[in-house]
Amino acid sequence: MSVGSDARHAVVIGAGMAGLAAARVLADSFEAVTVIERDTLPSTSAPRAGVPQGHHVHGLLALGAKVFEGYFPGLRAELEQAGAPVWDWGEGLCAVLPNGTPPPVPMHMPIQTFSRPLLEHVLRRRVAALERVTLRDTLTVTGLRTAAPGKVTGVRVKNGDSEDEIAADLVVDASGRSTHLPRWLAALGLPSPSTTTVDAQIGYASRTYSYPDGHSAPPWMGVLEPLRAPDFRKGSYAIQIENNTLHVTLHAAGGTQLPRSEDDFVAFAKTLRGPIADTIACLTPVSDVRRYARTLNQKTAYHRLPRWPEGLIALGDSVCTFNPAYGQGMTVAALEARLLEQLLRSQRTARTRLDGQDFQKRLARVTTFSWLMATIPDRAWERSAWPVKAGNWFMNRLIDTVPHDPQVYTAFSGLFHMVAGPLALADPRLLSRVLIGPRTAGNLRTTTA
């Protein structure tokens, strides 16, 4: 695919977060961009079959929000107009950690909370409004179109009984966890890429609640009660979102049963240390209890293949997917789109071809830190080698220090939201606090209001 005058048509497989972000970037370099989605795309903010995790709490990290705002100026204001609140992470979060709950600390880190369907709807509408972009739904990609060995020239598609081909100078696989790319590459004669999977077998159950007339909202904007092996097998994440509603997701690990009914949901919440049970007792449910258990971390080593087809790249969950509990997926998708933009710009300047193999290698580096942040704690639920145990020891010591040290809390929040890298913890003053360890549980403080 030439990034100069020959950059005519790009096809993106999948209209999720990664696909929409990629389409936005491609629209600056291609004459036409077609986004193909097998689902029927709703015209409003509503869940869809291809995003089953859309019923559960989603988070857009601070870095991801900044990148998306850059590609879609005014996005935050548009979401706020739709009812999505903006709040400071340090002041608005009630973090019920194993060693206590930190008091509110102003961090000047604005966070916006919303449902996944609302964010996707707004982004989809913004992408569809781009002159060069066409969204085609109810269309399934069945394979890659090729003109010669090692060169992808489009996709084969099916709509009901009708089959067709769509020519393209670049094909972007952003089809997510259900990707068929390994099989398509095998049909081109490429070896199967290796896959690494870390599955803590964590499950979710979620429900949305509304506030009755005259009922005041809780003093927090979000509650986070994380899981931690081996003792903390139940947890939750709740956020205030659009339409003056509270979205609650309960987490379970280590063989703990997830709630199925309304009574089970309430009973589960009562076993938690945080304020969720007391809060929802006064609220009105506006959704059924939804369960989800496909939370494994998985990465496919496309970057290690000895050959890679020209005219093809893969990104998003098609390449590396994370346990959604850590809220990294949408932000990583934004960072991958930024990587694509950088390579397109540099190749356009040099009037050379986009090197798909080089893109996959660079993408693997983009996902490395997020992969470690997700898999180190998830591996703690299984037998682990000593490097993983050492990593978990440090992370647990760090998190146990957070409730009693505002500076450590701020530094960890920057790390969590990816606005700071691991070197932020290398400050000798912070590192010494973590290594010395937290104060005893006698100073434990949990919030139940």
Side-chain angles (χ1 to χ4, degrees), residues 214-233:
H215 184 85
S216 60
W220 41 261
M221 296 298 295
V223 171
L224 175 61
E225 184 171 340
L227 305 170
R228 188 162 89 182
D231 300 321
F232 295 87
R233 297 170 178 246

PDB file of all heavy atoms in Angstrom, residues 214-233:
ATOM      1  N   GLY A 214     -35.909  13.239  44.313  1.00  0.00           N
ATOM      2  CA  GLY A 214     -35.616  13.754  45.640  1.00  0.00           C
ATOM      3  C   GLY A 214     -34.484  13.040  46.354  1.00  0.00           C
ATOM      4  O   GLY A 214     -34.081  13.459  47.440  1.00  0.00           O
ATOM      5  N   HIS A 215     -33.983  11.964  45.743  1.00  0.00           N
ATOM      6  CA  HIS A 215     -32.895  11.218  46.387  1.00  0.00           C
ATOM      7  C   HIS A 215     -31.557  11.803  45.938  1.00  0.00           C
ATOM      8  O   HIS A 215     -31.290  11.927  44.747  1.00  0.00           O
ATOM      9  CB  HIS A 215     -32.969   9.742  46.006  1.00  0.00           C
ATOM     10  CG  HIS A 215     -31.939   8.898  46.703  1.00  0.00           C
ATOM     11  ND1 HIS A 215     -32.149   8.375  47.956  1.00  0.00           N
ATOM     12  CD2 HIS A 215     -30.704   8.498  46.318  1.00  0.00           C
ATOM     13  CE1 HIS A 215     -31.087   7.680  48.318  1.00  0.00           C
ATOM     14  NE2 HIS A 215     -30.194   7.740  47.339  1.00  0.00           N
ATOM     15  N   SER A 216     -30.735  12.166  46.880  1.00  0.00           N
ATOM     16  CA  SER A 216     -29.440  12.762  46.549  1.00  0.00           C
ATOM     17  C   SER A 216     -28.444  11.675  46.158  1.00  0.00           C
ATOM     18  O   SER A 216     -28.495  10.545  46.655  1.00  0.00           O
ATOM     19  CB  SER A 216     -28.905  13.567  47.727  1.00  0.00           C
ATOM     20  OG  SER A 216     -28.743  12.735  48.866  1.00  0.00           O
ATOM     21  N   ALA A 217     -27.533  12.038  45.266  1.00  0.00           N
ATOM     22  CA  ALA A 217     -26.489  11.109  44.838  1.00  0.00           C
ATOM     23  C   ALA A 217     -25.490  10.907  45.976  1.00  0.00           C
ATOM     24  O   ALA A 217     -25.378  11.746  46.877  1.00  0.00           O
ATOM     25  CB  ALA A 217     -25.789  11.660  43.605  1.00  0.00           C
ATOM     26  N   PRO A 218     -24.759   9.805  45.968  1.00  0.00           N
ATOM     27  CA  PRO A 218     -23.754   9.562  47.014  1.00  0.00           C
ATOM     28  C   PRO A 218     -22.627  10.590  46.929  1.00  0.00           C
ATOM     29  O   PRO A 218     -22.490  11.299  45.925  1.00  0.00           O
ATOM     30  CB  PRO A 218     -23.255   8.149  46.695  1.00  0.00           C
ATOM     31  CG  PRO A 218     -23.577   7.936  45.257  1.00  0.00           C
ATOM     32  CD  PRO A 218     -24.831   8.707  44.990  1.00  0.00           C
ATOM     33  N   PRO A 219     -21.799  10.675  47.950  1.00  0.00           N
ATOM     34  CA  PRO A 219     -20.732  11.685  47.965  1.00  0.00           C
ATOM     35  C   PRO A 219     -19.572  11.356  47.027  1.00  0.00           C
ATOM     36  O   PRO A 219     -18.673  12.178  46.865  1.00  0.00           O
ATOM     37  CB  PRO A 219     -20.269  11.678  49.427  1.00  0.00           C
ATOM     38  CG  PRO A 219     -20.615  10.310  49.920  1.00  0.00           C
ATOM     39  CD  PRO A 219     -21.881   9.933  49.214  1.00  0.00           C
ATOM     40  N   TRP A 220     -19.585  10.203  46.412  1.00  0.00           N
ATOM     41  CA  TRP A 220     -18.525   9.812  45.494  1.00  0.00           C
ATOM     42  C   TRP A 220     -19.083   9.702  44.074  1.00  0.00           C
ATOM     43  O   TRP A 220     -20.275   9.553  43.877  1.00  0.00           O
ATOM     44  CB  TRP A 220     -17.911   8.476  45.922  1.00  0.00           C
ATOM     45  CG  TRP A 220     -18.913   7.451  46.399  1.00  0.00           C
ATOM     46  CD1 TRP A 220     -19.232   7.159  47.682  1.00  0.00           C
ATOM     47  CD2 TRP A 220     -19.753   6.613  45.584  1.00  0.00           C
ATOM     48  NE1 TRP A 220     -20.218   6.199  47.743  1.00  0.00           N
ATOM     49  CE2 TRP A 220     -20.547   5.839  46.460  1.00  0.00           C
ATOM     50  CE3 TRP A 220     -19.914   6.445  44.207  1.00  0.00           C
ATOM     51  CZ2 TRP A 220     -21.480   4.910  46.002  1.00  0.00           C
ATOM     52  CZ3 TRP A 220     -20.847   5.522  43.748  1.00  0.00           C
ATOM     53  CH2 TRP A 220     -21.611   4.767  44.643  1.00  0.00           C
ATOM     54  N   MET A 221     -18.178   9.752  43.105  1.00  0.00           N
ATOM     55  CA  MET A 221     -18.571   9.583  41.709  1.00  0.00           C
ATOM     56  C   MET A 221     -18.308   8.163  41.220  1.00  0.00           C
ATOM     57  O   MET A 221     -18.900   7.709  40.240  1.00  0.00           O
ATOM     58  CB  MET A 221     -17.814  10.564  40.824  1.00  0.00           C
ATOM     59  CG  MET A 221     -18.131  12.025  41.118  1.00  0.00           C
ATOM     60  SD  MET A 221     -19.859  12.431  40.827  1.00  0.00           S
ATOM     61  CE  MET A 221     -19.969  12.185  39.057  1.00  0.00           C
ATOM     62  N   GLY A 222     -17.411   7.474  41.898  1.00  0.00           N
ATOM     63  CA  GLY A 222     -17.102   6.095  41.525  1.00  0.00           C
ATOM     64  C   GLY A 222     -16.610   5.328  42.732  1.00  0.00           C
ATOM     65  O   GLY A 222     -16.050   5.907  43.676  1.00  0.00           O
ATOM     66  N   VAL A 223     -16.843   4.016  42.716  1.00  0.00           N
ATOM     67  CA  VAL A 223     -16.341   3.118  43.757  1.00  0.00           C
ATOM     68  C   VAL A 223     -15.515   2.032  43.087  1.00  0.00           C
ATOM     69  O   VAL A 223     -15.956   1.432  42.097  1.00  0.00           O
ATOM     70  CB  VAL A 223     -17.486   2.470  44.564  1.00  0.00           C
ATOM     71  CG1 VAL A 223     -16.945   1.366  45.483  1.00  0.00           C
ATOM     72  CG2 VAL A 223     -18.207   3.506  45.391  1.00  0.00           C
ATOM     73  N   LEU A 224     -14.331   1.798  43.604  1.00  0.00           N
ATOM     74  CA  LEU A 224     -13.471   0.736  43.098  1.00  0.00           C
ATOM     75  C   LEU A 224     -13.045  -0.144  44.261  1.00  0.00           C
ATOM     76  O   LEU A 224     -12.385   0.314  45.198  1.00  0.00           O
ATOM     77  CB  LEU A 224     -12.242   1.330  42.408  1.00  0.00           C
ATOM     78  CG  LEU A 224     -11.185   0.330  41.917  1.00  0.00           C
ATOM     79  CD1 LEU A 224     -11.774  -0.611  40.883  1.00  0.00           C
ATOM     80  CD2 LEU A 224      -9.981   1.065  41.349  1.00  0.00           C
ATOM     81  N   GLU A 225     -13.462  -1.380  44.231  1.00  0.00           N
ATOM     82  CA  GLU A 225     -13.041  -2.372  45.220  1.00  0.00           C
ATOM     83  C   GLU A 225     -12.426  -3.537  44.454  1.00  0.00           C
ATOM     84  O   GLU A 225     -13.124  -4.443  44.002  1.00  0.00           O
ATOM     85  CB  GLU A 225     -14.227  -2.841  46.073  1.00  0.00           C
ATOM     86  CG  GLU A 225     -13.819  -3.800  47.194  1.00  0.00           C
ATOM     87  CD  GLU A 225     -14.948  -4.104  48.171  1.00  0.00           C
ATOM     88  OE1 GLU A 225     -15.920  -3.320  48.228  1.00  0.00           O
ATOM     89  OE2 GLU A 225     -14.853  -5.126  48.873  1.00  0.00           O
ATOM     90  N   PRO A 226     -11.103  -3.524  44.260  1.00  0.00           N
ATOM     91  CA  PRO A 226     -10.463  -4.505  43.368  1.00  0.00           C
ATOM     92  C   PRO A 226     -10.324  -5.881  44.004  1.00  0.00           C
ATOM     93  O   PRO A 226     -10.300  -6.037  45.235  1.00  0.00           O
ATOM     94  CB  PRO A 226      -9.094  -3.878  43.102  1.00  0.00           C
ATOM     95  CG  PRO A 226      -8.814  -3.078  44.340  1.00  0.00           C
ATOM     96  CD  PRO A 226     -10.147  -2.554  44.801  1.00  0.00           C
ATOM     97  N   LEU A 227     -10.218  -6.872  43.135  1.00  0.00           N
ATOM     98  CA  LEU A 227      -9.891  -8.220  43.561  1.00  0.00           C
ATOM     99  C   LEU A 227      -8.395  -8.312  43.843  1.00  0.00           C
ATOM    100  O   LEU A 227      -7.606  -7.537  43.308  1.00  0.00           O
ATOM    101  CB  LEU A 227     -10.252  -9.220  42.465  1.00  0.00           C
ATOM    102  CG  LEU A 227     -11.682  -9.203  41.936  1.00  0.00           C
ATOM    103  CD1 LEU A 227     -11.797 -10.084  40.706  1.00  0.00           C
ATOM    104  CD2 LEU A 227     -12.659  -9.648  43.005  1.00  0.00           C
ATOM    105  N   ARG A 228      -8.029  -9.272  44.678  1.00  0.00           N
ATOM    106  CA  ARG A 228      -6.603  -9.548  44.861  1.00  0.00           C
ATOM    107  C   ARG A 228      -6.424 -10.967  45.376  1.00  0.00           C
ATOM    108  O   ARG A 228      -7.001 -11.349  46.386  1.00  0.00           O
ATOM    109  CB  ARG A 228      -5.943  -8.560  45.823  1.00  0.00           C
ATOM    110  CG  ARG A 228      -4.420  -8.741  45.850  1.00  0.00           C
ATOM    111  CD  ARG A 228      -3.733  -7.519  46.421  1.00  0.00           C
ATOM    112  NE  ARG A 228      -3.589  -7.610  47.870  1.00  0.00           N
ATOM    113  CZ  ARG A 228      -3.048  -6.649  48.612  1.00  0.00           C
ATOM    114  NH1 ARG A 228      -2.634  -5.527  48.036  1.00  0.00           N
ATOM    115  NH2 ARG A 228      -2.943  -6.784  49.916  1.00  0.00           N
ATOM    116  N   ALA A 229      -5.608 -11.733  44.661  1.00  0.00           N
ATOM    117  CA  ALA A 229      -5.347 -13.114  45.059  1.00  0.00           C
ATOM    118  C   ALA A 229      -4.447 -13.133  46.299  1.00  0.00           C
ATOM    119  O   ALA A 229      -3.563 -12.293  46.449  1.00  0.00           O
ATOM    120  CB  ALA A 229      -4.672 -13.853  43.905  1.00  0.00           C
ATOM    121  N   PRO A 230      -4.671 -14.107  47.169  1.00  0.00           N
ATOM    122  CA  PRO A 230      -5.738 -15.125  47.106  1.00  0.00           C
ATOM    123  C   PRO A 230      -6.948 -14.794  47.979  1.00  0.00           C
ATOM    124  O   PRO A 230      -7.920 -15.535  47.989  1.00  0.00           O
ATOM    125  CB  PRO A 230      -5.026 -16.358  47.656  1.00  0.00           C
ATOM    126  CG  PRO A 230      -4.115 -15.797  48.716  1.00  0.00           C
ATOM    127  CD  PRO A 230      -3.660 -14.438  48.189  1.00  0.00           C
ATOM    128  N   ASP A 231      -6.905 -13.697  48.732  1.00  0.00           N
ATOM    129  CA  ASP A 231      -7.891 -13.476  49.785  1.00  0.00           C
ATOM    130  C   ASP A 231      -9.107 -12.669  49.367  1.00  0.00           C
ATOM    131  O   ASP A 231     -10.204 -12.886  49.884  1.00  0.00           O
ATOM    132  CB  ASP A 231      -7.219 -12.778  50.980  1.00  0.00           C
ATOM    133  CG  ASP A 231      -6.084 -13.602  51.572  1.00  0.00           C
ATOM    134  OD1 ASP A 231      -6.245 -14.832  51.653  1.00  0.00           O
ATOM    135  OD2 ASP A 231      -5.047 -13.021  51.924  1.00  0.00           O
ATOM    136  N   PHE A 232      -8.941 -11.726  48.454  1.00  0.00           N
ATOM    137  CA  PHE A 232     -10.044 -10.839  48.092  1.00  0.00           C
ATOM    138  C   PHE A 232     -10.660 -11.325  46.784  1.00  0.00           C
ATOM    139  O   PHE A 232     -10.255 -10.920  45.700  1.00  0.00           O
ATOM    140  CB  PHE A 232      -9.553  -9.399  47.998  1.00  0.00           C
ATOM    141  CG  PHE A 232      -9.081  -8.843  49.318  1.00  0.00           C
ATOM    142  CD1 PHE A 232      -7.771  -9.020  49.732  1.00  0.00           C
ATOM    143  CD2 PHE A 232      -9.968  -8.194  50.157  1.00  0.00           C
ATOM    144  CE1 PHE A 232      -7.338  -8.534  50.950  1.00  0.00           C
ATOM    145  CE2 PHE A 232      -9.547  -7.707  51.389  1.00  0.00           C
ATOM    146  CZ  PHE A 232      -8.229  -7.878  51.788  1.00  0.00           C
ATOM    147  N   ARG A 233     -11.645 -12.209  46.907  1.00  0.00           N
ATOM    148  CA  ARG A 233     -12.246 -12.890  45.761  1.00  0.00           C
ATOM    149  C   ARG A 233     -13.512 -12.203  45.258  1.00  0.00           C
ATOM    150  O   ARG A 233     -14.108 -12.658  44.291  1.00  0.00           O
ATOM    151  CB  ARG A 233     -12.565 -14.343  46.125  1.00  0.00           C
ATOM    152  CG  ARG A 233     -11.310 -15.146  46.453  1.00  0.00           C
ATOM    153  CD  ARG A 233     -11.624 -16.515  47.044  1.00  0.00           C
ATOM    154  NE  ARG A 233     -10.387 -17.236  47.287  1.00  0.00           N
ATOM    155  CZ  ARG A 233     -10.014 -18.346  46.659  1.00  0.00           C
ATOM    156  NH1 ARG A 233     -10.804 -18.845  45.726  1.00  0.00           N
ATOM    157  NH2 ARG A 233      -8.875 -18.934  46.940  1.00  0.00           N
TER     158      ARG A 233
END
